[in-house]
Amino acid sequence: GAGVSQSPRYKVAKRGQDVALRCDPISGHVSLFWYQQALGQGPEFLTYFQNEAQLDKSGLPSDRFFAERPEGSVSTLKIQRTQQEDSAVYLCASSLAEENEQFFGPGTRLTVL
Amino acid sequence: GNSVTQMEGPVTLSEEAFLTINCTYTATGYPSLFWYVQYPGEGLQLLLKATKADDKGSNKGFEATYRKETTSFHLEKGSVQVSDSAVYFCALIRYGGATNKLIFGTGTLLAVQP
C-alpha cells in the first residue's frame, strides 16, 4: 500500500478483555516501531522489530503487552486483561532501515471502560 | 536520560502572524532533531529535521535551526495560514544507542484564526 495502515481505527474494550491491534507497514520496510500516545502527551516508544526479530521491547509497560511480527511484515500488538490506564492511541511506524525516516500510521484509539 | 521539552499550548494566532514554538532537548552525544506535525484526523508526518549542529531544516515555510550551545530547535514560520492548524511535536533520535527510537515532546497545539 501507499502508507502504513492500522486496524481497527477505534477499539472500545471492557476492563479485563484482551485486544489485538494490527499494523501493516509499507512494503519492503525492514524496521517497525510501536508507540503509545496518551491523551495530551507525545508518543512514547513501546517496542521495535527488525524484520521478524523483536530487538527492543524495553518500552512495554507490563507483561500484559505482547507484540509479534512473525513473517517480517504485518505486526500485531496484543494487550491482555486491559486496564483503564491502557486507554491511548497506539501508533505504528515503519522505515526502510532503522536509521531512515519513520512513517507513521493513523493509529488505533483504544478506550478501556 | 534523553528528553525533549516544548512550550505548552494552545498557541492561538491570526492568519499571517509570525510563529515560534520553543523546543529544548537533553541528550548525550549528538542527537538528530525533528519536528513532526499531526493534522486533525491524520497520522504524524515528518515536517523537517536537522542532523548536526547549526543545520537548518526547512519545509512548507517552516524552519528550525539546531543550536547545540543552547540545546534548542525552535520551530518558526513567518506567516501562518489557517491550514497550519495542527499539533506540532519536537523529537530527537540518539543514534548509536540500543534502538533508534524517537523521543517526543508533549506536543503544542496551534490554532490559526482567519
Side-chain angles (χ1 to χ4, degrees), chain A residues 35 37 42-43 56 98 101-102, chain B residues 46 89 95 99-100 102 104-105:
Chain A
Y35 294 86
Q37 185 177 13
D56 188 344
E98 191 184 348
E101 178 183 347
Q102 294 180 31
Chain B
L46 178 63
F89 292 92
Y95 290 104
T99 299
N100 293 335
L102 282 158
F104 288 90

Side-chain angles (χ1 to χ4, degrees), chain B residues 71-114:
Chain B
T71 62
S72 65
F73 193 55
H74 304 321
L75 183 68
E76 297 182 335
K77 186 175 186 183
S79 177
V80 294
Q81 305 300 312
V82 172
S83 57
D84 294 327
S85 299
V87 181
Y88 292 81
F89 292 92
C90 186
L92 68 82
I93 292 179
R94 167 70 169 87
Y95 290 104
T99 299
N100 293 335
K101 59 190 176 191
L102 282 158
I103 296 171
F104 288 90
T106 54
T108 302
L109 174 63
L110 170 66
V112 180
Q113 298 175 337

Side-chain angles (χ1 to χ4, degrees), chain A residues 2-67:
Chain A
V4 180
S5 60
Q6 294 185 244
S7 61
R9 291 292 309 277
Y10 303 92
K11 177 68 178 178
V12 178
K14 293 183 179 179
R15 191 169 47 188
Q17 282 185 330
D18 297 349
V19 297
L21 312 180
R22 177 186 169 108
C23 171
D24 283 83
I26 294 171
S27 178
H29 277 196
V30 167
S31 295
L32 187 146
F33 299 80
W34 282 98
Y35 294 86
Q36 180 191 56
Q37 185 177 13
L39 188 64
Q41 301 298 313
E44 293 191 357
F45 170 78
L46 292 176
T47 187
Y48 165 67
F49 290 86
Q50 185 178 88
N51 294 308
E52 70 279 2
Q54 189 176 20
L55 298 185
D56 188 344
K57 52 183 181 179
S58 62
L60 296 177
S62 80
D63 58 8
R64 297 185 295 104
F65 286 70
F66 172 76

